[in-house]
Amino acid sequence: MTTVGLIRHGMTEWNALRRAQGISDIPLNQIGIKQAQALAERFSLEGKWDVIISSDLSRAKETAQIIANKLNMSISIYDQRIREINCGEIEGTTEEQRMQKWGTSWREVDLGMEKFEEVAKRGSEFLEEAVITYKDKRILVVSHGALIGLTLQQLLPEMFPTTYIENTSVTILENIQSKWSCDLYNCTKHF
């Protein structure tokens, strides 16, 4: 059995302002640092992890590094495949700004956003490869809300017709003989 702990990065200023971040490289804010520290403390009490993998965007890297430091581990890989969805022209904008600029039907306008199916595919392919590479290990993966949510919807569609992923939440997946199950979803009991 291979266990995967999916973690969304801590809060950023753009999260607080409800701006679309996508692949913009926004660092953690003070709240996000405290969230990551609380999560690191939780992991230090809950059992051993073998590997930490992070998105290459700074908000995920910072979250992963705080956890790695607490657990006396190093981050194995920074992987672009587990970056957040590319939000195209809407990056940096709020919902109100998008409606002002493109109208209430802005979601139907081609603004260069990465397709949900593509995000789910790269997230799923990454996890399938990780469970082969780190067979029977416990893997922490620090990534982003849309990437995690869309990947869950692809891997376990009956369990996850929709998803919402909180900052520094933990979702635990297990892979046994190429079958996925989810034992814990969007857990934030550390704060």
Side-chain angles (χ1 to χ4, degrees):
M1 175 178 70
T2 305
T3 301
V4 178
L6 296 173
I7 300 162
R8 182 182 177 198
H9 61 81
M11 183 178 281
T12 69
E13 245 357 91
W14 279 20
N15 287 141
L17 297 171
R18 303 187 66 76
R19 292 185 182 276
Q21 285 182 120
I23 59 172
S24 296
D25 203 11
I26 310 302
L28 297 179
N29 64 13
Q30 286 304 307
I31 294 170
I33 291 168
K34 287 183 181 359
Q35 289 172 328
Q37 290 167 338
L39 180 57
E41 182 65 29
R42 171 185 175 174
F43 282 143
S44 74
L45 303 171
E46 285 187 351
K48 183 177 176 304
W49 291 91
D50 300 303
V51 178
I52 300 177
I53 301 170
S54 175
S55 155
D56 65 333
L57 296 176
S58 63
R59 57 194 183 267
K61 287 167 62 174
E62 289 176 65
T63 303
Q65 193 60 60
I66 289 167
I67 295 166
N69 290 347
K70 182 71 177 177
L71 301 182
N72 293 322
M73 295 175 69
S74 58
I75 298 167
S76 298
I77 302 168
Y78 295 104
D79 199 309
Q80 288 187 6
R81 292 177 297 172
I82 54 174
R83 278 183 165 192
E84 184 58 293
I85 186 172
N86 182 335
C87 290
E89 292 180 52
I90 75 162
E91 292 203 11
T93 66
T94 64
E95 179 73 17
E96 182 181 352
Q97 290 169 330
R98 292 188 285 275
M99 289 196 307
Q100 286 174 357
K101 190 167 185 175
W102 297 294
T104 55
S105 301
W106 68 266
R107 284 181 177 81
E108 296 162 25
V109 179
D110 182 2
L111 298 170
M113 281 188 72
E114 186 177 7
K115 304 281 185 265
F116 287 177
E117 301 78 32
E118 293 168 3
V119 178
K121 182 176 188 279
R122 67 181 163 86
S124 299
E125 287 174 353
F126 166 82
L127 286 181
E128 297 291 350
E129 181 183 302
V131 298
I132 293 167
T133 303
Y134 301 105
K135 184 173 174 31
D136 298 326
K137 301 283 187 195
R138 290 174 48 82
I139 311 161
L140 286 177
V141 177
V142 184
S143 185
H144 306 269
L147 182 284
I148 294 169
L150 292 166
T151 300
L152 289 173
Q153 289 174 35
Q154 174 144 332
L155 293 176
L156 296 163
E158 291 175 10
M159 187 172 190
F160 297 110
T162 62
T163 52
Y164 179 77
I165 309 296
E166 298 276 353
N167 288 106
T168 66
S169 70
V170 180
T171 298
I172 303 288
L173 299 178
E174 291 185 343
N175 186 286
I176 302 171
Q177 297 178 340
S178 300
K179 298 263 189 288
W180 289 99
S181 64
C182 181
D183 296 337
L184 186 69
Y185 169 67
N186 195 38
C187 180
T188 56
K189 73 177 185 181
H190 45 282
F191 58 81

